[in-house]
Amino acid sequence: MRGMNSNTERGKFIVFEGLDGSGKTTQMKMLTKYLESKGKCCFSTHEPTDSPFGALLRNCLTGRIDTDERAIAALFAADRLDHILNAVNGIAKKLDAGVNVFCDRYYFSSFAYNGEFVPFDWVVELNRPARELLRPDLTVFIDLPSEESMKRVARRGETERYETTEKQKKIRERFYEAFKRFSDENVKIVTSEAEKEETQAKIRAAVLPLFGL
């Protein structure tokens, strides 16, 4: 996708993926702060979004709404399309304006989470429009064992729909299956370290070359 304004360099689109508790949100914030200190214009976002689609999804994930996994997968796909195409604050509009966008979860999360509980190929088809519209310049997958994932989630004090050790183990396997299937994507796997600064150093090593830093 090229910028609408030929005089404006298109922003970079970088996605952070990982199991629950992997620290991706914290790492994304750390990277954004660093790049802003280098004069880069950045915008951080997340999925589910803060749109009505996202609000409905969060109610499904916390159990306030009980619905079928296929409905959840379809809601994620709809939320993602609106996230890309929204005329007010969509990702595409920001990238075209030269803003660098960092997103906490994107379609690989659908492949891993939804694709574990409903037919994987069906989830891929649901997300084909998003993948055709906008692929990340880089996807950073912060990896850690499912047991450690749940230890971190437990410290948070509440759990959501997919947050059990067994589910997280299967979801992690699905992530790797998806990375293998879509090997044309630019994916960097980073091990989550005990010290967040060590993890951040690995992430910067992968990301900064995109910015000529």
Side-chain angles (χ1 to χ4, degrees):
M1 181 182 291
R2 297 181 182 275
M4 292 181 288
N5 183 347
S6 60
N7 296 320
T8 301
E9 182 179 354
R10 179 184 179 275
K12 303 295 184 185
F13 180 40
I14 299 174
V15 170
F16 284 74
E17 296 281 14
L19 299 182
D20 295 282
S22 62
K24 56 188 170 43
T25 305
T26 297
Q27 292 297 330
M28 189 174 82
K29 289 178 179 177
M30 291 172 69
L31 179 67
T32 300
K33 184 177 180 180
Y34 176 79
L35 286 171
E36 287 177 340
S37 76
K38 298 296 182 181
K40 303 297 182 181
C41 181
C42 302
F43 175 77
S44 297
T45 186
H46 53 84
E47 295 185 356
T49 68
D50 293 326
S51 74
F53 294 108
L56 185 56
L57 271 167
R58 282 190 293 277
N59 280 328
C60 294
L61 295 175
T62 57
R64 285 191 287 270
I65 295 176
D66 185 17
T67 190
D68 187 82
E69 288 287 345
R70 288 165 291 189
I72 291 176
L75 281 170
F76 267 112
D79 188 40
R80 185 162 297 125
L81 286 173
D82 182 64
H83 200 190
I84 297 169
L85 298 170
N86 190 289
V88 176
N89 60 357
I91 296 172
K93 182 175 182 178
K94 290 186 179 297
L95 292 173
D96 284 342
V99 178
N100 301 296
V101 177
F102 302 89
C103 189
D104 185 344
R105 298 203 182 282
Y106 197 50
Y107 49 66
F108 272 113
S109 276
S110 280
F111 298 157
Y113 281 76
N114 303 137
E116 174 56 33
F117 303 102
V118 297
F120 183 81
D121 287 342
W122 185 73
V123 178
V124 168
E125 285 303 310
L126 276 178
N127 286 277
R128 182 187 295 275
R131 197 163 177 265
E132 290 176 346
L133 279 167
L134 180 62
R135 294 190 191 186
D137 293 290
L138 174 67
T139 296
V140 177
F141 178 70
I142 303 177
D143 192 23
L144 80 168
S146 57
E147 293 81 6
E148 178 61 26
S149 163
M150 289 313 301
K151 286 180 183 178
R152 296 183 185 183
V153 168
R155 289 197 291 269
R156 194 178 64 202
E158 59 181 346
T159 58
E160 294 185 349
R161 189 181 185 97
Y162 304 111
E163 293 176 343
T164 68
T165 300
E166 188 58 32
K167 285 182 178 179
Q168 290 288 300
K169 181 180 179 181
K170 291 179 179 178
I171 288 164
R172 181 174 180 267
E173 292 171 356
R174 281 292 186 187
F175 266 118
Y176 276 93
E177 289 175 16
F179 296 150
K180 184 177 180 180
R181 175 163 176 171
F182 298 104
S183 59
D184 57 330
E185 297 262 2
N186 186 16
V187 177
K188 176 65 176 179
I189 297 172
V190 172
T191 303
S192 179
E193 303 293 348
E195 297 296 328
K196 61 184 179 182
E197 290 77 12
E198 294 180 23
T199 308
Q200 179 68 191
K202 294 179 181 179
I203 292 170
R204 289 183 190 177
V207 171
L208 297 189
L210 294 175
F211 295 90
L213 298 173

